[in-house]
């Protein structure tokens, strides 16, 4: 018997990894300055300059425009809020269909429901785990209003192809770019190919403001409509001379001056935060690349993967061990990982019971769509059998720790034959 930690041997990494901490003195100073200014939020939900937020919010939005090369950025208090504002801004109507991937965080699939929209799931690609354009094409009907592509784990979806499909069919393309700041396809930044790109600044992402989100667009009307949905738009649409009040029933989705001040500082260091994650992921990929039955994350040609998550696939027949046992053996060596990401979202009770708003099943009552198991076979198989998931953004991994992670992987792989006796 080998000395795998799973069987009582010494683990390669004896103590848990430290959590990654991206905040420092600069963030602290920025926060103190906001507190000293006496204004923790500069927003008013009524006509006037303050409708668009305080000094920090406006400066943060301007810096974001500059960095991502877009004309407009609307900051919000989360990516979820950003998706809600984006879908409202495009004029999503009850019964309209929105095509989305099943493998993503739940907000992508849930936000259309607030406007009465019907989520339609199109399966993902085997290699990149992002939405498959050919599957999108076969789901388009006369009810389709938009495609929401997710640049999952930090790798761009096939954005150029999706842009063309959207244009050919008169659809909006929204990018849920929560996970892929600085990712790109053919040199074009993720989040700027869709009509609207939505970024997350929650605590788990590459850079953060505690909670927060950014919506980018080059379309002035969409930007204005998102600003209205963000901040009690019903009070100002007359003042702004807007003649289309559809979905301008404003919420309060506003970012604070504190969040924006931290965001400004974090944005200055975004290259540092992202390249460090890339280095960790590339190190792991190099280690597993000649192991037969293990497939590291793929990076398509002319694309940048920013490795919000490092996600590999295991072929359990080839390796001779189930995904779940392999994952447990890694965990026992001190390599934090999860077998699988989130289950395909149509398996959530909201879709299985077709009940979202109220008790009568609205908005599903207006739709012929159903959500049975088997709907997206690729997403289901990857989830159930193949994916192992590690979060470079969650852990402080210096060069020494990276080496230990690599050694842990090698140890488990080399002793894989012993794992066939492991209790499941
Ligand atoms: C994190 C995440 C969200 C939600 O972001 P919040 O800012 O927490 O609302 C949405 N979509 C994806 C793909 C995410 O990773």
């Amino acid at each position: 018997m080998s000395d795998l930690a799973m069987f009582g041997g010494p683990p390669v990494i004896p103590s848990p990894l430290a959590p990654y901490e991206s905040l420092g003195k600069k963030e602290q100073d920025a926060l103190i300055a906001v507190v000293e200014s006496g204004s923790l939020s500069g927003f008013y939900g009524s006509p006037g300059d303050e409708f668009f937020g305080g000094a920090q919010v406006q400066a943060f939005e301007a810096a974001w425009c500059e960095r991502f090369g877009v004309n407009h950025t609307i900051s919000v208090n989360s990516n979820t809020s950003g998706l809600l504002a984006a879908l409202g801004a495009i004029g999503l109507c009850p019964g309209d269909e929105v095509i989305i991937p099943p493998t993503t965080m739940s907000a992508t699939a849930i936000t259309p429901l607030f406007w009465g929209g019907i989520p339609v799931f199109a399966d993902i690609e085997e290699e990149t785990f992002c939405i498959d354009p050919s599957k999108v094409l076969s789901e388009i009907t006369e009810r389709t209003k938009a495609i929401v592509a997710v640049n999952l784990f930090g790798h761009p979806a096939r954005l150029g192809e999706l842009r063309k499909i959207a244009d050919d069919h008169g659809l909006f393309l929204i990018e849920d770019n929560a996970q892929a700041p600085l990712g790109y396809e053919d040199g074009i930044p993720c989040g700027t190919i869709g009509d609207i790109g939505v970024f997350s600044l929650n605590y788990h992402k590459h850079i953060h403001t505690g909670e927060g989100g950014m919506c980018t667009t080059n379309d002035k009307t969409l930007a204005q409509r998102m600003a209205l949905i963000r901040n009690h738009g019903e009070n100002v649409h007359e003042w702004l001379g807007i003649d289309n009040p559809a979905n301008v029933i404003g919420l309060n989705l506003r970012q604070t001056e504190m969040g924006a001040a931290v965001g400004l500082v974090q944005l200055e260091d975004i290259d540092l935060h992202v390249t460090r994650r890339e280095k960790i992921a590339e190190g792991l990929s190099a280690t597993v690349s000649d192991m037969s039955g293990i497939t590291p994350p793929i990076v398509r040609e002319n694309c940048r993967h920013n490795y919000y998550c490092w996600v590999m696939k295991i072929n359990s027949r080839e390796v001779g061990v189930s995904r779940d046992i392999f994952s447990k053996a890694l965990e026992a060596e001190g390599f934090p990982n999860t077998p699988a990401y989130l289950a395909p979202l149509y398996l959530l009770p909201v879709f299985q019971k077709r009940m979202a708003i109220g008790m009568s099943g609205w908005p599903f009552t207006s739709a012929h769509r159903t959500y049975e198991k088997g709907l997206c076979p690729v997403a289901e198989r990857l989830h159930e059998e193949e994916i192992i998931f590690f979060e470079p953004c969650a852990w402080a991994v210096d060069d020494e720790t990276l080496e230990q992670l690599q050694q842990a992987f090698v140890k488990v792989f080399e002793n894989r034959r012993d794992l066939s006796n492991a209790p499941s």
Side-chain angles (χ1 to χ4, degrees):
M1 195 52 84
S2 64
D3 64 349
L4 284 170
M6 203 177 179
F7 302 129
V12 175
I13 308 167
S15 48
L17 302 192
Y20 179 60
E21 189 47 83
S22 69
L23 301 177
K25 180 80 169 67
K26 285 203 292 184
E27 284 80 0
Q28 217 173 9
D29 290 345
L31 279 171
I32 289 168
V34 171
V35 173
E36 283 173 354
S37 81
S39 171
L40 304 188
S41 171
F43 275 106
Y44 274 111
S46 49
D49 273 353
E50 291 108 328
F51 180 71
F52 298 100
Q56 297 296 324
V57 159
Q58 294 200 24
F60 187 31
E61 290 175 347
W64 201 270
C65 284
E66 179 77 21
R67 177 68 216 236
F68 291 94
V70 291
N71 294 339
H72 309 279
T73 299
I74 304 299
S75 63
V76 283
N77 56 14
S78 72
N79 179 292
T80 305
S81 297
L83 289 170
L84 189 62
L87 291 164
I90 64 167
L92 194 68
C93 296
D96 284 350
E97 295 184 342
V98 181
I99 301 178
I100 51 175
T103 304
T104 166
M105 193 263 165
S106 65
T108 322
I110 297 302
T111 41
L113 295 168
F114 286 99
W115 301 110
I118 308 297
V120 171
F121 293 92
D123 209 349
I124 56 173
E125 294 183 317
E126 189 72 54
E127 291 77 27
T128 64
F129 317 120
C130 293
I131 198 165
D132 181 338
S134 69
K135 304 286 167 45
V136 169
L137 267 176
S138 57
E139 294 298 342
I140 293 174
T141 69
E142 72 284 354
R143 289 176 173 228
T144 311
K145 179 84 172 186
I147 303 164
V148 180
V150 180
N151 302 314
L152 194 71
F153 304 143
H155 190 284
R158 291 191 183 268
L159 297 169
E161 265 180 73
L162 292 165
R163 180 71 270 171
K164 177 151 193 328
I165 292 171
D167 291 343
D168 289 350
H169 293 83
L171 308 176
F172 287 97
L173 176 64
I174 295 172
E175 288 176 68
D176 181 340
N177 196 41
Q179 303 185 354
L182 304 198
Y184 60 66
E185 182 184 70
D186 296 331
I188 309 174
C190 290
T192 71
I193 299 172
D195 298 282
I196 298 172
V198 185
F199 295 71
S200 176
L201 295 170
N202 89 14
Y203 177 68
H204 303 282
K205 302 305 202 286
H206 284 85
I207 61 166
H208 74 97
T209 58
E211 304 287 352
M214 299 300 255
C215 304
T216 52
T217 184
N218 286 317
D219 183 304
K220 194 170 169 211
T221 306
L222 289 178
Q224 189 178 53
R225 286 175 58 77
M226 288 192 286
L228 289 163
I229 293 168
R230 166 177 70 181
N231 184 16
H232 309 293
E234 63 283 356
N235 293 331
V236 297
H237 85 262
E238 248 181 323
W239 169 62
L240 286 169
I242 287 164
D243 33 333
N244 175 12
N247 296 355
V248 178
I249 40 175
L251 298 156
N252 175 346
L253 311 177
R254 307 177 311 205
Q255 176 59 284
T256 64
E257 289 291 279
M258 296 170 289
V262 170
L264 267 168
V265 174
Q266 291 253 298
L267 182 60
E268 283 172 14
D269 289 337
I270 190 169
D271 293 284
L272 209 108
H273 292 300
V274 170
T275 45
R276 183 64 204 157
R277 313 272 81 69
E278 279 174 329
K279 187 166 181 224
I280 298 165
E282 283 163 7
L284 293 174
S285 292
T287 300
V288 308
S289 63
D290 344 307
M291 296 179 179
S292 69
I294 306 282
T295 311
I298 301 279
V299 185
R300 283 195 288 117
E301 211 175 319
N302 301 322
C303 288
R304 182 180 187 185
H305 193 326
N306 75 5
Y307 296 105
Y308 172 65
C309 305
W310 182 81
V311 180
M312 51 150 275
K313 290 194 288 186
I314 177 166
N315 179 328
S316 53
R317 255 169 304 132
E318 227 175 305
V319 178
V321 186
S322 77
R323 182 266 313 261
D324 292 6
I325 300 275
F326 197 91
S327 156
K328 272 190 198 162
L330 282 174
E331 190 76 37
E333 299 298 339
F335 186 129
N337 76 94
T338 329
Y341 178 55
L342 299 164
L345 293 177
Y346 53 82
L347 299 174
L348 290 172
V350 52
F351 296 108
Q352 291 301 303
K353 297 189 189 338
R354 290 178 28 115
M355 192 183 289
I357 309 236
M359 303 288 284
S360 67
W362 194 85
F364 298 112
T365 36
S366 66
H368 65 284
R369 297 286 182 174
T370 53
Y371 301 100
E372 63 284 346
K373 185 142 188 347
L375 191 60
C376 297
V378 176
E380 288 185 18
R381 175 171 42 77
L382 290 171
H383 173 71
E384 286 162 12
E385 298 169 23
E386 295 186 22
I387 277 177
I388 290 181
F389 171 93
F390 168 74
E391 275 182 285
C393 282
W395 309 105
V397 179
D398 57 15
D399 290 349
E400 191 190 336
T401 314
L402 174 58
E403 230 167 85
Q404 290 179 324
L405 289 168
Q406 291 167 318
Q407 283 162 11
F409 208 103
V410 170
K411 181 179 172 192
V412 170
F413 188 78
E414 284 181 348
N415 293 289
R416 63 195 177 281
R417 280 185 188 80
D418 292 343
L419 289 170
S420 47
N421 310 316
S424 53

